[in-house]
Amino acid sequence: MKLKDALQNVRVIVYQAQAPLVAQTVAYELASGLPAASVEVTRTRRTKLRPGTLCVGTVEHCPLAVDAAQRLRADLDNEFAYLQLQADGSGVLLTSKANLLYSFMRYVVEHLADHDLAPFDKGRVFPTAFKWQRVSYDYFLTQEGRIQRGMDKERYIRELARLGFTHIEVNGLAFPMGLETGPKGEVYPMFYTYCPALDQFVYTELNKGIYPLYYLSANLANLKENARLARKYGLTPGLLCFEPRSVPEEFFARYPMLRGARVDHPFRSFKPRYNMTIAHPRVRAHYAEMMTKLMRE
């Protein structure tokens, strides 16, 4: 008997209500390829393993998780995936972390379906080669590629999850370029779209009014939507910011005592640019306030 034959006997795919959002995504996508399967949500930590019932989720949020799988975290150095499936369609498909769940489900469907069922009857462990993988300086989601015609962010993020990526940058601007100015002919402001700084999304009492609210609001909404889609497919969203980045001269006209180091790139910049002096308590409080606002959002 093949693994795909046992999957055809699945009648109910169950996930726990408290599980990460990706468990729901996996349950419905897996069910869409199994004509006889439906999806159920449970709030129970442990449920009897009924014929035709497959549980999907993480070790902490899979009510049908076997004791052996729960002990794996201590036994393995890296993260892991686990599949137990019996001929009647009952079993568990789980991972140690949410950011592995979608890719493992796709791996089972796309690469293991034609394998013999026997190795999975008692459960099979798949240790991961790496604890995490991310796209470095994500071109398509947070840099120039984000404004290309026909860009489908959800499809892109889903493909990253399918390929086994675990982490993703989400701090991309909603605008084609940052609101930065410079001398005529200078291309340096174009680089402010690259790893955008915290002050492109939120303001504090220190820099309020430097960037217009419509600009900050649009960027923050874009960041939150990127994070929502990342969570949907289990990816861990994060920020990759070039900090401390330069701030407009308008800021130093208000607070000349907070001028810090020159940080522009002489090869590309036609005028000096400076950051805030990060040793000053007011500046440190400014960064703390920005981080606090972003975490709340």
Side-chain angles (χ1 to χ4, degrees):
M1 189 176 193
K2 301 294 185 181
L3 185 65
K4 63 183 178 183
D5 300 321
L7 285 172
Q8 292 300 317
N9 292 328
V10 174
R11 295 295 178 266
V12 178
I13 301 175
V14 61
Y15 69 93
Q16 192 179 22
Q18 294 79 17
L21 180 59
V22 65
Q24 177 183 357
T25 304
V26 165
Y28 279 98
E29 185 164 323
L30 186 57
S32 68
L34 303 174
S38 60
V39 176
E40 289 184 4
V41 185
T42 180
R43 297 186 181 277
T44 307
R45 287 290 298 173
R46 297 288 281 191
T47 303
K48 185 179 180 181
L49 191 64
R50 304 188 308 271
T53 300
L54 177 68
C55 173
V56 298
T58 59
V59 173
E60 291 83 0
H61 297 97
C62 187
L64 303 179
V66 294
D67 293 336
Q70 294 187 16
R71 292 195 299 268
L72 288 174
R73 187 184 299 280
D75 296 338
L76 296 172
D77 292 332
N78 277 339
E79 306 299 340
F80 66 90
Y82 180 84
L83 177 64
Q84 180 189 17
L85 186 63
Q86 299 177 358
D88 62 5
S90 62
V92 293
L93 186 155
L94 57 86
T95 54
S96 57
K97 291 288 183 63
N99 56 22
L100 301 171
L101 187 58
Y102 186 84
S103 62
F104 184 55
M105 182 272 291
R106 296 309 313 173
Y107 180 71
V108 169
V109 171
E110 297 175 18
H111 299 282
L112 299 181
D114 288 321
H115 287 219
D116 289 334
L117 179 64
F120 303 96
D121 185 68
K122 301 299 182 182
R124 181 178 171 186
V125 180
F126 295 81
T128 61
F130 302 97
K131 290 186 177 181
W132 59 275
Q133 291 276 16
R134 72 172 176 88
V135 179
S136 181
Y137 308 115
D138 194 317
Y139 179 84
F140 292 102
L141 193 65
T142 60
Q143 294 191 55
E144 293 90 336
R146 75 189 187 283
I147 61 173
Q148 65 180 289
R149 182 174 59 187
M151 174 63 182
D152 186 336
K153 291 199 294 186
E154 181 165 358
R155 183 178 179 183
Y156 173 69
I157 291 173
R158 181 172 63 244
E159 182 66 6
L160 288 182
R162 187 187 73 84
L163 292 174
F165 288 91
T166 59
H167 291 63
I168 188 170
E169 302 165 21
V170 296
N171 55 311
L173 300 180
F175 289 74
M177 293 175 58
L179 290 187
E180 306 293 338
T181 60
K184 184 178 180 179
E186 186 191 48
V187 300
Y188 191 73
M190 294 175 59
F191 287 85
Y192 283 85
T193 191
Y194 187 59
C195 298
L198 302 175
D199 64 6
Q200 301 298 291
F201 304 94
V202 292
Y203 69 89
T204 72
E205 290 303 313
L206 188 64
N207 74 336
K208 186 176 181 179
I210 294 294
Y211 295 105
L213 288 179
Y214 73 82
Y215 174 76
L216 297 177
S217 298
N219 290 341
L220 181 60
N222 185 65
L223 182 153
K224 292 170 70 173
E225 174 63 8
N226 289 344
R228 184 191 69 81
L229 290 172
R231 294 286 189 192
K232 180 177 180 180
Y233 294 97
L235 296 174
T236 303
L239 309 181
L240 181 61
C241 306
F242 282 167
E243 291 280 13
R245 185 165 280 191
S246 65
V247 296
E249 279 296 311
E250 178 186 350
F251 177 83
F252 297 120
R254 297 183 192 175
Y255 306 104
M257 75 294 294
L258 296 183
R259 187 182 297 272
R262 181 176 177 178
V263 292
D264 60 282
H265 194 302
F267 181 72
R268 300 185 177 98
S269 176
F270 290 179
K271 71 174 186 178
R273 289 174 170 85
Y274 299 86
N275 66 9
M276 301 180 189
T277 175
I278 58 175
H280 198 287
R282 286 291 301 277
V283 175
R284 297 171 72 87
H286 161 72
Y287 274 95
E289 185 178 344
M290 287 193 295
M291 286 301 302
T292 301
K293 282 187 172 182
L294 280 171
M295 293 304 292
R296 285 173 178 166
E297 291 290 341

